[in-house]
């Protein structure tokens, strides 16, 4: 019969098992969460995004007044607007509306513009990139020259020009931002397609 020391000596150590066996996979979600936990700036950014989305979703319950309610117009004097108070946390604007309520409801508009414009820009850009990368040849040359022309103009200037041509509306702002994003996605997908080919 062998002693406990001899049995322990014949067992493989943890280091040997780790070398001999493959490392367990965590999956895409587990790997993303592990990287997120190691990066404090990513946690701060993720928290801010969640806060922004929460404010946008729950705006009717967070805002104390309607964003269009101008009941306080009588308190506004030429060149002097009521500042922050217990009733109006950020004061009143020149048209007698509560600034905090308008800011909270504005989060909805900002989120809508960002999501829709990015989705449209990504969809069109992916389509153009697929077209250029799949066919190649003269199709790729023509499409990429158009993309180069779009990229040669500064993004902000391009977006302002498009918004000015389309007029003042929420839709024109979404289209302007989407058009600026199209060449970025087109170039990325074209490069991936050429790499696969």
């Amino acid at each position: 019969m062998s002693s406990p020391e001899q049995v322990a000596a014949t067992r493989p150590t943890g280091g040997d098992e780790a070398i001999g066996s493959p490392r367990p996979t965590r999956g895409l979600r587990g790997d993303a969460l592990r990287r997120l936990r190691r990066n404090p700036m990513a946690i701060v950014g993720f928290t801010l995004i969640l806060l922004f989305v929460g404010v946008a979703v729950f705006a009717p319950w967070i805002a104390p007044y309607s964003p269009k309610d101008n009941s306080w117009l009588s308190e506004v004097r030429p060149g002097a607007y009521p500042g922050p108070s217990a009733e109006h946390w950020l004061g009143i604007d020149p048209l007698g509306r509560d600034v905090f309520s308008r800011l909270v409801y504005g989060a909805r508009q900002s989120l809508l513009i960002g999501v829709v414009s990015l989705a449209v820009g990504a969809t069109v850009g992916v389509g153009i990139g697929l077209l250029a990368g799949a066919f190649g040849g003269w199709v790729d040359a023509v499409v990429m020259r158009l993309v180069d022309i779009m990229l040669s103009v500064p993004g902000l200037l391009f977006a302002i020009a498009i918004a000015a041509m389309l007029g003042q509306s929420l839709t024109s702002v979404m289209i302007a931002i989407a058009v600026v994003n199209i060449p970025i996605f087109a170039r990325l997908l074209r490069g991936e397609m050429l790499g696969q080919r």
Side-chain angles (χ1 to χ4, degrees):
M1 202 163 177
S2 47
S3 68
E5 290 84 14
Q6 291 173 336
V7 172
T10 58
R11 286 189 191 143
T13 61
D16 295 332
E17 288 175 0
I19 293 171
S21 62
R23 188 175 177 183
T25 57
R26 296 181 177 182
L28 188 60
R29 186 176 295 140
D31 189 39
L33 286 174
R34 182 176 52 82
R35 287 184 181 187
L36 181 68
R37 275 182 270 152
R38 289 183 178 178
N39 190 346
M41 292 307 293
I43 293 172
V44 170
F46 187 68
T47 305
L48 288 174
I49 290 171
L50 282 180
L51 180 68
F52 188 78
V53 171
V55 167
V57 169
F58 299 108
W61 295 278
I62 296 172
Y65 308 104
S66 168
K68 297 179 182 177
D69 185 8
N70 63 346
S71 302
W72 303 277
L73 188 57
S74 60
E75 297 178 25
V76 176
R77 301 286 176 260
Y81 319 118
S85 65
E87 289 181 359
H88 308 287
W89 294 352
L90 298 178
I92 296 171
D93 71 357
L95 298 176
R97 300 170 298 191
D98 183 59
V99 175
F100 177 72
S101 299
R102 292 183 62 76
L103 188 68
V104 168
Y105 273 92
R108 283 185 158 190
Q109 301 298 325
S110 298
L111 195 62
L112 177 70
I113 290 170
V115 169
V116 170
S117 60
L118 191 63
V120 170
T123 304
V124 176
V126 163
I128 290 173
L130 279 172
L131 183 73
F135 288 103
W138 68 271
V139 175
D140 181 33
V142 169
V143 169
M144 283 300 109
R145 292 310 68 79
L146 291 172
V147 168
D148 287 341
I149 291 169
M150 291 174 74
L151 285 172
S152 68
V153 181
L156 183 61
L157 186 63
F158 197 30
I160 291 171
I162 292 169
M165 285 189 303
L166 296 175
Q168 292 182 353
S169 70
L170 202 62
T171 308
S172 66
V173 172
M174 289 184 206
I175 292 171
I177 296 172
V179 169
V180 171
N181 285 316
I182 288 172
I184 298 166
F185 287 105
R187 274 206 172 275
L188 283 173
L189 204 69
R190 178 207 177 236
E192 288 297 321
M193 288 291 291
L194 291 178
Q196 292 300 320
R197 286 177 63 189

